[in-house]
Amino acid sequence: MTARAREALARAEVIVGYRTYIDLVATLIAGREVVVNGMTGEVDRCREAVERAAAGARVAVISSGDPGVYGMAGLVLEILAAHPRGREIPVTIIPGVTAATAAAAALGAPLMHDFAVISLSDRLTPWEVISRRLEMAAAADFVLVLYNPRSHGRPDHLGRAREIILKYRQPSTPVGVVRNAGRKGEVAWLRDLDTLLELPVDMVSTVIIGNSQTRVLDGRMVTPRGYRL
């Protein structure tokens, strides 16, 4: 969490968010009105936030990581654009630390060159689209960052993604997995593409798959930028 995010929470009169994220900041928002719901309630949650703001309240909508990376910022702006008073409601999007950079820091420096971030969740994006993006990004030798890699409802998506990537990468390609990146209980593993599926990957894990230049140096995952040493 950035200092600006903490300041926004301290100033907010109403806090709106997904239950898991509300629990993570519970000590920072004690005594304030909280609007909370579960997964799949994103639209209702953001509409409620806009209505509270339209009524004059200072509202904070919280997301995991950065609100503009698979977060609530875009949805709030869409709802504001359709609201009769949307142009009158000031909005500030406050950056946070997204899982890609938090996980990269835990692993070493795997994102020192071009990389692509792809979510494996097909709740809002068809798998056909996801698989094509994986194919193109792997063929282009991007370092790959995979969000939402595995859940109870889609236990096979990571394996399917791995099969696509193996068409363009060696099985020995370094892979890092970080669970709870930047949060209490953070744990990181370094493996390779061949053994990736042996790791306990779940929805709070971030997977970083190296490109053809990525190496493991003294236990740290590094993608060289190309500097002369």
Side-chain angles (χ1 to χ4, degrees):
M1 185 186 300
T2 61
R4 284 184 64 195
R6 284 181 177 269
E7 291 168 5
L9 285 176
R11 296 175 63 236
E13 299 164 333
V14 180
I15 316 292
V16 180
Y18 172 48
R19 184 173 305 281
T20 298
Y21 305 148
I22 290 289
D23 291 344
L24 287 170
V25 297
T27 58
L28 302 177
I29 60 176
R32 255 79 60 75
E33 182 182 358
V34 177
V35 177
V36 60
N37 63 9
M39 188 70 75
T40 75
E42 294 90 348
V43 174
D44 290 341
R45 192 187 315 149
C46 290
R47 281 182 175 151
E48 177 73 9
V50 168
E51 291 302 331
R52 294 297 185 94
R58 181 181 288 119
V59 181
V61 179
I62 63 173
S63 285
S64 175
D66 186 290
V69 181
Y70 301 116
M72 293 292 97
L75 181 54
V76 168
L77 295 179
E78 288 182 80
I79 292 171
L80 276 171
H83 194 278
R85 295 184 54 204
R87 290 179 178 270
E88 304 170 23
I89 301 172
V91 58
T92 301
I93 299 168
I94 297 174
V97 180
T98 189
T101 51
L107 294 167
L111 305 184
M112 288 297 295
H113 217 301
D114 300 333
F115 64 94
V117 179
I118 299 174
S119 171
L120 298 191
S121 172
D122 59 357
R123 189 167 73 86
L124 300 174
T125 304
W127 177 255
E128 293 74 19
V129 174
I130 296 170
S131 61
R132 177 168 172 76
R133 289 173 178 170
L134 285 166
E135 188 100 29
M136 297 299 102
D141 202 31
F142 284 106
V143 175
L144 299 173
V145 183
L146 305 182
Y147 280 44
N148 306 312
R150 181 187 280 157
S151 70
H152 293 299
R154 40 183 179 77
D156 302 325
H157 281 23
L158 181 60
R160 293 164 71 183
R162 174 179 168 275
E163 289 304 313
I164 293 170
I165 296 164
L166 276 170
K167 293 192 288 184
Y168 305 95
R169 307 279 162 94
Q170 294 296 319
S172 58
T173 299
V175 173
V177 174
V178 180
R179 193 171 189 276
N180 288 320
R183 297 179 185 166
K184 184 178 179 180
E186 176 184 282
V187 60
W189 298 273
L190 271 177
R191 293 290 192 278
D192 56 26
L193 200 50
D194 188 44
T195 59
L196 167 60
L197 298 184
E198 298 175 5
L199 294 173
V201 177
D202 58 12
M203 277 290 284
V204 295
S205 302
T206 306
V207 179
I208 299 183
I209 299 171
N211 68 8
S212 62
Q213 302 302 309
T214 304
R215 302 289 182 266
V216 175
L217 304 176
D218 296 330
R220 298 184 179 91
M221 190 175 178
V222 179
T223 303
R225 183 74 176 90
Y227 298 110
R228 276 188 169 184
L229 298 181

